[in-house]
Amino acid sequence: MTVPKVAFSAFSFLLAVALSVSAAYAQQVPAVVVAPARVVDLRESVDLTGRVVATQKVDIRARVAGFLEAVNFREGQKVTSGTVLYQVEDGAYRAAVQEIEGSIQAAEAQRDLAVLERDRAKQLIATNTISQAKVDTANAEVKKAEAELVRLKGSKQSADLNLSYTKITAPFDGVLGLTTADVGALVGPDTGPLVTLTRLDPIYVEFPVSTSLLLTYRERVQKGMTPGGANVGLTLPNGTEYPLKGTIDFIASNVAQGTDTVTVRAQFDNPNALLLDGTLVRVILEQSEKQDVLAVPQQAVQRDQQGAFVMVVDAASKVELRRIDVARSARGLSVVTEGLKEGENVITEGVGKVRPGITVDAAPATGG
């Protein structure tokens, strides 16, 4: 064997050994994902289930009988208060008003005549030309004529009211449903609902709150542990967050015995009608004031018989087991009250591959 061949063989052997050592070292250094402990605004919150309830909802009905002459809306249309929805034929009702107006004119003439007769009788009684009985009769005729005039004016008010009812109008702003009657249909007070009008803006969300949760909250507010007031958020059935916050405007004064809950209601602006009457939604009650706390990702917190702990990676990439106190967890984060400082990195992925004291290959968490 020549010298060059020996040298080449030795070099190849050393290279193979070096690669083996490097590979073995790489296998001994576990790869983990870390995230820093950071101060965030993590307000206390609770998730509940609620249902959307229209602020106003009425069935529109006919108040007088007659055939429909016009339907002045499209089903599903938004209308304003006072919009004429249906027109009932009004010929008979106009005639009734005119008839009563004629009767009133006749009654006014009769009253004027009675007044003249009374005044004439008063003049004659002064000269003893007629008896007092005739004067009394004249006074009675005036009162009778005035009473008849009052009755007829009341009848006219009733006739005017019936005439106004031939125009069926929207009592408030809202959205119309499906109509149950069309042009030519005979409608009346006994017909039933013609259409439903629903007001969607603003809108309510009602949700039950357990009495224990409500009492705990009130006690914490009284002790100054939690600020009063709450922001109300919603998550829609498709999982998206409703963009506008609501305010609580009603808390029931009674407890539902079957569920031991209290009904709470919040009001929301609903300009785009995203919230529909009857929709089931998730309600998030969140304290109104900012609350800065030290938090780590919830998956970084491990537990054993001694309590909660995290695996901390220091500047030298060495792992340390650190005992911590966790106050609460929310939105995927755990609030740490003791055991960590802001900026310290904790392992969020790969905890099962490490032990205290070893060196790791730490990569920052995405978005962390």
Side-chain angles (χ1 to χ4, degrees):
M1 180 179 295
T2 63
V3 174
K5 289 184 178 181
V6 172
F8 178 77
S9 299
F11 175 76
S12 298
F13 174 76
L14 293 175
L15 180 61
V17 170
L19 291 174
S20 299
V21 172
S22 177
Y25 177 77
Q27 290 177 356
Q28 293 174 359
V29 179
V32 297
V33 177
V34 296
R38 54 196 179 95
V39 175
V40 295
D41 178 14
L42 192 63
R43 309 176 193 193
E44 293 191 55
S45 63
V46 61
D47 288 6
L48 303 164
T49 300
R51 192 169 294 279
V52 179
V53 179
T55 51
Q56 290 178 285
K57 184 178 182 179
V58 297
D59 291 331
I60 305 297
R61 299 172 182 264
R63 303 181 72 172
V64 293
F67 291 96
L68 285 182
E69 289 185 339
V71 177
N72 301 320
F73 64 88
R74 300 186 312 277
E75 294 172 324
Q77 178 183 343
K78 291 182 179 180
V79 295
T80 57
S81 176
T83 300
V84 178
L85 307 178
Y86 297 94
Q87 176 65 58
V88 179
E89 60 176 0
D90 60 2
Y93 297 99
R94 290 186 183 278
V97 172
Q98 291 176 354
E99 182 180 353
I100 294 174
E101 287 176 345
S103 298
I104 289 175
Q105 292 176 4
E108 288 176 341
Q110 186 64 36
R111 179 202 60 189
D112 293 343
L113 178 60
V115 170
L116 290 174
E117 292 292 341
R118 181 196 63 187
D119 294 343
R120 185 177 298 111
K122 285 182 178 180
Q123 292 175 358
L124 294 176
I125 192 66
T127 59
N128 294 321
T129 305
I130 61 173
S131 64
Q132 181 63 42
K134 290 186 177 181
V135 174
D136 294 341
T137 300
N139 284 328
E141 288 296 329
V142 171
K143 292 181 180 179
K144 180 180 178 181
E146 290 176 342
E148 177 64 11
L149 193 57
V150 170
R151 184 187 70 81
L152 289 172
K153 287 182 177 180
S155 297
K156 183 178 183 300
Q157 289 180 352
S158 178
D160 287 337
L161 196 59
N162 286 335
L163 178 60
S164 70
Y165 289 157
T166 61
K167 294 183 184 297
I168 303 175
T169 61
F172 51 82
D173 297 353
V175 180
L176 293 165
L178 299 174
T179 181
T180 61
D182 208 341
V183 174
L186 178 61
V187 298
D190 299 329
T191 303
L194 301 178
V195 69
T196 299
L197 178 65
T198 306
R199 185 176 184 180
L200 296 178
D201 187 24
I203 201 162
Y204 294 137
V205 174
E206 295 180 357
F207 49 95
V209 177
S210 67
T211 53
S212 60
L213 180 62
L214 183 61
L215 290 173
T216 300
Y217 169 75
R218 287 177 170 173
E219 287 177 357
R220 295 190 65 178
V221 170
Q222 291 177 353
K223 294 178 181 179
M225 299 172 61
T226 300
N231 293 327
V232 188
L234 297 178
T235 300
L236 303 180
N238 63 354
T240 61
E241 182 178 347
Y242 186 65
L244 303 177
K245 299 295 183 181
T247 55
I248 294 174
D249 71 343
F250 171 78
I251 299 177
S253 59
N254 62 300
V255 176
Q257 296 183 0
T259 57
D260 197 32
T261 57
V262 176
T263 297
V264 179
R265 186 180 72 189
Q267 179 174 304
F268 290 81
D269 289 333
N270 190 28
N272 298 320
L274 289 178
L275 301 177
L276 300 179
D277 181 47
T279 303
L280 195 67
V281 294
R282 187 162 65 92
V283 181
I284 302 96
L285 291 181
E286 181 184 73
Q287 70 180 66
S288 56
E289 293 186 8
K290 186 177 181 181
Q291 186 175 19
D292 289 333
V293 294
L294 183 66
V296 296
Q298 194 169 348
Q299 68 265 30
V301 180
Q302 309 297 313
R303 295 183 184 277
D304 58 15
Q305 294 180 350
Q306 298 181 40
F309 67 91
V310 292
M311 304 302 281
V312 179
V313 178
D314 62 17
S317 297
K318 286 190 176 181
V319 177
E320 173 192 355
L321 187 149
R322 187 84 59 83
R323 295 288 172 181
I324 60 172
D325 290 337
V326 178
R328 57 187 173 88
S329 296
R331 298 184 216 158
L333 298 174
S334 293
V335 177
V336 179
T337 57
E338 190 174 346
L340 277 179
K341 295 180 181 179
E342 182 180 4
E344 289 188 300
N345 287 318
V346 297
I347 298 177
T348 59
E349 297 180 25
V351 175
K353 300 186 292 184
V354 303
R355 64 180 184 276
I358 71 170
T359 300
V360 295
D361 180 15
T366 302

